[in-house]
Amino acid sequence: MVKKKWVASILLAGLLCSGCGEQEPEMDGALVEAAEALTSEVEVQKDGSIIETLVEDFSGDRYNEESLRTMVMAEVEDYNKGHEGTAVSLDKLEQKEESVTVRLKYPSAEAYSAYNTDGYNKMSLFCGTVEQAYAAGYSLDVTMQSAKGGEALGKAELMEMDGLNILISKNPMRIKVDGRIEYVSGNVTVKGKDEALLVGGEAGATYYVLYK
């Protein structure tokens, strides 16, 4: 499936409003990714489910709330048809003034990754224990900094912290976890006891957040 067609549609509507009569530009995966990096938050729940909240500009007059709801629901239903037992759901869609908030709920990090992967983008998000991450084949050969500014830890120390949860992402994003962030990799910025920005480092970097 094409990743969040409705996001691209909103962006394109804005472009068209500023250039009426011009040829409609093609939907570009990089355009969608850039918008989501600035306007979405991924929240990890205690049961492992994921809530993604997106806030998009909705100042144009090409779409209204109902037409947007129809697009989002069609995309969700299209995904769910091919993924029995891992249903994604629309939790909220609300327009206020010149913005719209859309909240999607995923049963797991795996479902979030699958839903947001298409021909343009490959999403990879893991949430679980350190032991589960290692068993799943994720590299834990990383140096992590204390969120409190204390000493760093490496792979050996990390492997001994199975009582803690770890979030591993290969994509930039804003995250919130159900717990307190203890350690992060050098390309992660801690914004609060349970919030962080995964935005630093080179292209293709992997982001790590250890929390309990």
Side-chain angles (χ1 to χ4, degrees):
M1 63 171 292
V2 177
K3 179 185 178 185
K4 293 188 176 66
K5 292 179 182 178
W6 59 268
V7 175
S9 297
I10 293 174
L11 292 171
L12 291 176
L15 290 173
L16 290 174
C17 285
S18 63
C20 297
E22 296 179 6
Q23 182 177 355
E24 181 170 327
E26 297 181 358
M27 289 187 186
D28 187 301
L31 183 65
V32 176
E33 181 178 342
E36 291 179 334
L38 296 174
T39 62
S40 67
E41 178 182 78
V42 171
E43 184 174 351
V44 184
Q45 303 294 290
K46 187 174 183 178
D47 62 359
S49 62
I50 302 292
I51 293 177
E52 180 184 27
T53 303
L54 301 101
V55 180
E56 299 289 342
D57 176 69
F58 207 57
S59 55
D61 58 2
R62 190 174 182 185
Y63 294 100
N64 56 41
E65 184 175 328
E66 274 312 303
S67 63
L68 178 60
R69 186 182 302 276
T70 298
M71 282 192 289
V72 176
M73 288 302 301
E75 184 177 275
V76 168
E77 291 172 5
D78 181 54
Y79 172 84
N80 288 338
K81 285 178 183 178
H83 298 80
E84 293 184 8
T86 60
V88 174
S89 61
L90 174 62
D91 191 51
K92 175 183 179 181
L93 193 155
E94 182 180 42
Q95 180 183 359
K96 283 188 176 180
E97 297 181 349
E98 296 187 345
S99 68
V100 62
T101 299
V102 179
R103 184 180 299 144
L104 295 168
K105 186 170 184 178
Y106 307 85
S108 65
E110 291 80 5
Y112 170 83
S113 299
Y115 186 91
N116 288 284
T117 293
D118 62 17
Y120 294 105
N121 308 275
K122 179 174 175 57
M123 184 65 67
S124 177
L125 178 67
F126 172 87
C127 300
T129 65
V130 173
E131 184 179 45
Q132 289 170 337
Y134 184 74
Y138 285 92
S139 172
L140 298 179
D141 189 11
V142 59
T143 299
M144 302 184 73
Q145 312 296 324
S146 169
K148 300 177 182 178
E151 62 183 29
L153 59 81
K155 180 179 179 180
E157 294 85 2
L158 182 58
M159 292 295 294
E160 296 176 357
M161 293 192 171
D162 191 48
L164 275 66
N165 293 309
I166 191 167
L167 178 150
I168 304 174
S169 174
K170 292 186 179 295
N171 307 86
M173 62 178 67
R174 184 188 311 128
I175 62 102
K176 184 175 183 179
V177 298
D178 181 60
R180 185 177 69 248
I181 296 175
E182 298 290 336
Y183 291 88
V184 296
S185 52
N187 50 9
V188 174
T189 301
V190 177
K191 302 298 289 184
K193 72 178 185 66
D194 57 357
E195 297 180 72
L197 293 177
L198 285 55
V199 293
E202 301 176 353
T206 301
Y207 306 88
Y208 296 82
V209 178
L210 191 67
Y211 64 100
K212 69 176 181 180

